[in-house]
Amino acid sequence: MNRYFKAGDSVDAYWENSWRKGIVRDILENSKYVVGFEGNGEKEESEIEQCNLRLHREWDDGSCVPPLTELTKSSKEKDDKSRKVKVKIVFGKRPKDAKFQKDDKVEVTSDKEDFRGSWFCAVVVKYIGNDKYLVEYPTLKTEGGMPLREEAKAHQVRPCPPELSCVASFCLHEVVDAWYNGGWWVGVISRILTGSTYAVYFSLTNEELEFDHSNLRLHQDWMNGKWIIASEAYASYIRPHPPHARCSYRYELLENVDAWYNDGWWIGQIIEVLTGWRYAVYFRTTKEVLEFEHDDLRLHQEWINGKWVTASRMKNISMLYSEDSYSAHNHQNESHISCYGSLFRITITNACL
């Protein structure tokens, strides 16, 4: 007879090929119980399935106590009560600001200098909060040989791209991901070699490496919640890596710079020189103003007629932008930004060349 038990019930448990007397210590899932046994001065516990338990009865004066009829009645009453019990099931909810949940397979990029332009396969361990996840990298190991774990910001995490049908061959100037050092690195096919081998150029490191066809995949971009296959990069969109153009002096107001943002260099203009070697940079294409550290900027250079030309700084110039009202000034030069409703005018009268 199978019946339900409660903590504290005295039971006989079929354990290690014999029936042993014990006490129900705890009730587990899937009709299992934790039963404690005492004997030889030692206490033991084991998980026992319901089918291997029976209520303990003593042999007293020629009969078992309590009688079986009493057990049957008691069991029926408990079953009737159990049918009236309402069970409330609460499912775990994903935090509102979490796009991924535990055990999701993702790819993670990094802001570290040596890992820019790369994506590493990872598994979400948990959502920490404040737009951060704890992730684990199967391909990266600690010094102890364990999978590396680290925190990653939400904008550095994306789903794994879908598998595409095998490509027979890649084209010259095609954007690809190359498997290198345990991760996928974005590059461009710069030369087609023999034997299904390609030379891939990485603009961020100004390197060219050779890869077998099997270690390349078509590059896909995660944009607005969708995967988009990168179109072929035409030769006019490819240029050499510019020479080192970072400077130790402060940038001036209205100076053209490249700002490192979202894994790439974006052309902008200094519209405010802040304290602590920080700057407000205006991006004309997106009509945005963002703040950057000095080390995240470089002098803007143009590739013209096979030569790198550094953009000169402007002097005695007045510019009008269509943007939300904005107030800024240079603490070192006679310059100011005048606001006119939704327009603002930048005027500089003493910028150095």
Side-chain angles (χ1 to χ4, degrees):
M1 176 181 62
N2 291 337
R3 54 163 292 162
Y4 296 102
F5 303 93
K6 64 180 185 295
D9 277 350
S10 180
V11 295
D12 294 331
Y14 191 76
W15 186 53
E16 293 185 345
N17 299 319
S18 64
W19 288 98
R20 296 183 60 181
K21 180 183 176 181
I23 301 294
V24 175
R25 303 295 187 192
D26 197 7
I27 302 172
L28 307 177
E29 297 178 349
N30 301 323
S31 299
K32 290 185 178 181
Y33 300 83
V34 176
V35 179
F37 304 98
E38 293 186 9
N40 299 326
E42 296 181 358
K43 294 184 179 181
E44 298 177 281
E45 286 187 351
S46 179
E47 292 184 12
I48 308 294
E49 293 186 3
Q50 179 184 329
C51 61
N52 290 326
L53 292 177
R54 67 188 183 191
L55 197 65
H56 178 71
R57 302 164 70 196
E58 295 287 349
W59 183 257
D60 184 23
D61 196 20
S63 63
C64 289
V65 180
L68 184 60
T69 55
E70 184 178 328
L71 289 177
T72 305
K73 181 180 178 181
S74 176
S75 177
K76 184 177 184 302
E77 289 176 352
K78 290 182 179 179
D79 288 345
D80 289 341
K81 290 180 180 179
S82 66
R83 293 190 186 101
K84 298 177 183 179
V85 175
K86 293 182 179 180
V87 179
K88 183 179 180 180
I89 301 176
V90 179
F91 295 94
K93 294 182 179 179
R94 181 188 304 184
K96 291 182 179 179
D97 52 347
K99 297 179 181 178
F100 305 100
Q101 57 186 352
K102 182 182 177 182
D103 295 331
D104 279 352
K105 293 182 179 180
V106 294
E107 288 188 346
V108 182
T109 190
S110 175
D111 291 333
K112 296 177 182 177
E113 186 71 27
D114 294 337
F115 293 94
R116 289 175 175 175
S118 63
W119 291 89
F120 287 82
C121 300
V123 176
V124 174
V125 177
K126 65 178 179 179
Y127 177 69
I128 301 174
N130 297 324
D131 278 342
K132 289 184 179 180
Y133 295 90
L134 178 65
V135 298
E136 181 177 285
Y137 301 97
T139 59
L140 302 180
K141 305 295 182 181
T142 63
E143 293 181 356
M146 300 297 293
L148 175 65
R149 287 188 175 188
E150 68 174 7
E151 293 183 6
K153 298 178 182 178
H155 73 270
Q156 297 173 322
V157 184
R158 69 181 188 183
C160 292
E163 292 188 9
L164 302 175
S165 56
C166 295
V167 179
S169 61
F170 294 100
C171 302
L172 192 63
H173 306 143
E174 193 165 17
V175 182
V176 295
D177 296 335
W179 181 259
Y180 180 67
N181 280 350
W184 292 102
W185 299 72
V186 182
V188 176
I189 301 292
S190 56
R191 288 181 294 133
I192 300 176
L193 309 176
T194 59
S196 298
T197 305
Y198 302 85
V200 179
Y201 174 73
F202 302 96
S203 60
L204 293 178
T205 58
N206 195 27
E207 291 180 291
E208 185 184 67
L209 301 175
E210 295 184 6
F211 291 90
D212 186 76
H213 184 280
S214 60
N215 290 325
L216 299 176
R217 71 181 185 185
L218 285 173
H219 178 69
Q220 302 178 74
D221 287 309
W222 179 246
M223 300 179 64
N224 300 322
K226 295 181 180 179
W227 284 105
I228 299 175
I229 300 177
S231 59
E232 181 177 344
Y234 295 98
S236 59
Y237 297 145
I238 299 177
R239 66 181 189 179
H241 193 279
H244 183 77
R246 304 207 182 187
C247 58
S248 57
Y249 61 82
R250 288 182 180 272
Y251 293 104
E252 301 290 344
L253 197 65
L254 293 183
E255 192 163 19
N256 291 328
V257 293
D258 295 335
W260 181 259
Y261 180 66
N262 277 352
D263 299 327
W265 291 102
W266 297 72
I267 303 173
Q269 200 168 50
I270 303 291
I271 65 165
E272 185 177 4
V273 179
L274 307 173
T275 58
W277 291 83
R278 292 179 60 83
Y279 307 87
V281 179
Y282 174 78
F283 300 94
R284 186 177 301 179
T285 55
T286 60
K287 297 181 180 179
E288 288 182 292
V289 176
L290 300 175
E291 292 185 8
F292 290 89
E293 299 282 351
H294 185 89
D295 290 340
D296 291 326
L297 300 176
R298 70 182 185 188
L299 288 172
H300 177 65
Q301 301 177 80
E302 296 284 352
W303 180 248
I304 301 175
N305 297 327
K307 295 182 180 180
W308 284 106
V309 178
T310 302
S312 60
R313 278 170 277 169
M314 301 179 204
K315 173 170 106 170
N316 297 328
I317 197 166
S318 179
M319 303 184 68
L320 189 67
Y321 291 95
S322 176
E323 181 60 88
D324 294 334
S325 58
Y326 190 88
S327 177
H329 64 279
N330 189 339
H331 301 281
Q332 299 177 350
N333 294 313
E334 295 180 13
S335 54
H336 66 276
I337 298 177
S338 304
C339 301
Y340 301 93
S342 61
L343 300 177
F344 63 83
R345 182 183 299 276
I346 303 176
T347 305
I348 180 167
T349 58
N350 189 27
C352 299
L353 286 172

